[in-house]
Amino acid sequence: MPASSNASKAHRALVAGFIVLGAIDGVWVARLPALKHHLSLDNGRLGIVVFAASLGATVSLPFAGWLSARFGSRGPLALGLGLALGALALAAFAPTLLALVAIAAVLGVGLGITDISANAHGVELERRLGRRVLSPLHAAWSFGLLGGSAVTALTAAAGIGIRAELPAVAAVLGFAIVLTLPRLLPGTAADVESAHLAFPRGALALPALLMFCALFVEFAAMNWSAVFLNGPAGASAAVAATAVVCYAGAMGVARLFGDRLLARWGIGGLAVRSGSLSCAGMLLAIGTRSTVPALVGFALVGVGCAAIVPALFRVGGSAPGIAQGAGIAAVATAGYSGALVNGPAIGFIARGVGLSAALGLVAAAGAVIALLGPRLGSAR
């Protein structure tokens, strides 16, 4: 069979893998309010659960890179998705906070391994296909996030509990993996030098700071949007899940145009618009604490997050005098740090001043992107 045919089949299989990865995220974050109520958690304790998932993903970064470099990315991709789906199913039966924290950590490890392996496979596919595919693959993740959260909204509206939904969703997604992942290319040990932790400095300090803010916004909106709708905004569990639907749908559509917008505005102009939209969207949600404006607000945050993250990775990988892998690793480390701190920062501040005020941190992070972004210049 021609190599191009194999690569095309692998591309379709990898699209499915990104969709499954996004769907896991979508179901998880949309069901956080139900898990919160199930174990009678306050926002501070829920923040620990969110932190555990982010920590698991962060600490898996070097291990995931080693796995993909040593064995190729197909096996680790299957391993990561298997871990994440198993943890998703078990989360519904967690009897205590400690058990849920442990399950969330395993979920994070699975998601981290999958993220690195899927992107490594995408890099190799770009080489073999001779065209860019990573940006559309990340759009596939966003649409998977949309699908997972939409399914959760429907099941919540139908009165289906987490002990029925989460194992069923995990089983369906697992079946999809079994059918599609064998079509991935074997032995694709792509360059994953970026899959390690590195301290950003010098020319990387500003893009790293902005990446910290960008992924803080992205993960905070993803993790806390449904909780906010179900809490301060007073929405039902079904309506709360649609917050993730609005966020993911807006992000997915915007990501399809991200490369064009970067080419038109440059990184500085893109950062101004991205940060401003994220800030305005979050202020709309927390300022009104009303269902419809909040849904619109989280959609605006999704648009704001869509293009800036991949653009900042490009900046890190093209910094003068710095190896591409080292630059990406430094920016990624800052980004993962932003994702890591959103749980405890928002959760514990919310215990003292309320979730609406705590989510003001998201608006502040968006404002930092808008204010400092022009200093990156106009590079495309």
Side-chain angles (χ1 to χ4, degrees):
M1 186 176 292
S4 60
S5 177
N6 287 336
S8 296
K9 288 183 177 180
H11 183 208
R12 291 192 291 271
L14 189 57
V15 169
F18 269 93
I19 290 173
V20 170
L21 177 61
I24 295 170
D25 279 323
V27 173
W28 168 253
V29 297
R31 274 306 193 181
L32 282 176
L35 293 169
K36 177 185 177 184
H37 292 312
H38 175 65
L39 294 177
S40 300
L41 305 178
D42 61 16
N43 287 321
R45 289 184 173 86
L46 184 64
I48 296 174
V49 176
V50 173
F51 174 78
S54 299
L55 180 63
T58 302
V59 300
S60 72
L61 185 65
F63 177 63
W66 177 82
L67 279 177
S68 289
R70 177 68 177 82
F71 300 106
S73 50
R74 183 169 70 176
L77 182 56
L79 171 65
L81 287 173
L83 284 173
L85 288 172
L88 184 69
L90 286 175
F93 304 95
T96 63
L97 171 62
L98 182 61
L100 185 59
V101 166
I103 291 169
V106 174
L107 177 81
V109 169
L111 294 176
I113 293 173
T114 303
D115 188 23
I116 295 299
S117 303
N119 279 286
H121 210 88
V123 168
E124 179 63 15
L125 277 174
E126 284 192 331
R127 187 186 69 81
R128 298 195 187 191
L129 292 170
R131 57 187 172 89
R132 290 185 177 183
V133 298
L134 278 178
S135 183
L137 286 173
H138 282 264
W141 173 86
S142 297
F143 288 122
L145 183 71
L146 169 64
S149 53
V151 167
T152 297
L154 292 173
T155 55
I160 299 173
I162 54 175
R163 292 193 173 184
E165 182 200 354
L166 297 189
V169 168
V172 171
L173 295 178
F175 182 67
I177 291 170
V178 170
L179 289 180
T180 58
L181 291 198
R183 299 180 184 178
L184 292 175
L185 300 171
T188 51
D191 178 13
V192 286
E193 182 188 352
S194 61
H196 65 272
L197 303 178
F199 183 75
R201 56 182 177 270
L204 294 173
L206 180 57
L209 171 62
L210 297 183
M211 182 65 91
F212 175 93
C213 293
L215 284 189
F216 182 90
V217 170
E218 180 172 321
F219 277 79
M222 191 169 70
N223 287 322
W224 294 97
S225 56
V227 178
F228 175 80
L229 263 289
N230 194 227
S236 67
V239 174
T242 62
V244 188
V245 174
C246 292
Y247 169 78
M251 174 184 282
V253 172
R255 272 193 169 148
L256 296 176
F257 302 95
D259 288 339
R260 297 181 207 174
L261 297 178
L262 178 63
R264 174 179 295 181
W265 295 327
I267 182 61
L270 180 66
V272 170
R273 291 165 174 84
S274 296
S276 298
L277 271 178
S278 296
C279 180
M282 188 54 64
L283 289 176
L284 176 63
I286 63 179
T288 61
R289 290 194 288 185
S290 181
T291 300
V292 174
L295 293 175
V296 173
F298 283 115
L300 290 176
V301 175
V303 174
C305 291
I308 190 62
V309 171
L312 287 171
F313 271 121
R314 284 196 180 99
V315 172
S318 58
I322 300 172
Q324 182 184 54
I328 293 174
V331 172
T333 298
Y336 269 80
S337 299
L340 187 63
V341 302
N342 89 84
I346 294 175
F348 283 102
I349 291 175
R351 292 182 74 174
V353 298
L355 184 56
S356 296
L359 286 174
L361 289 175
V362 179
V368 170
I369 296 171
L371 291 172
L372 298 184
R375 297 188 183 185
L376 291 172
S378 59
R380 266 87 176 153

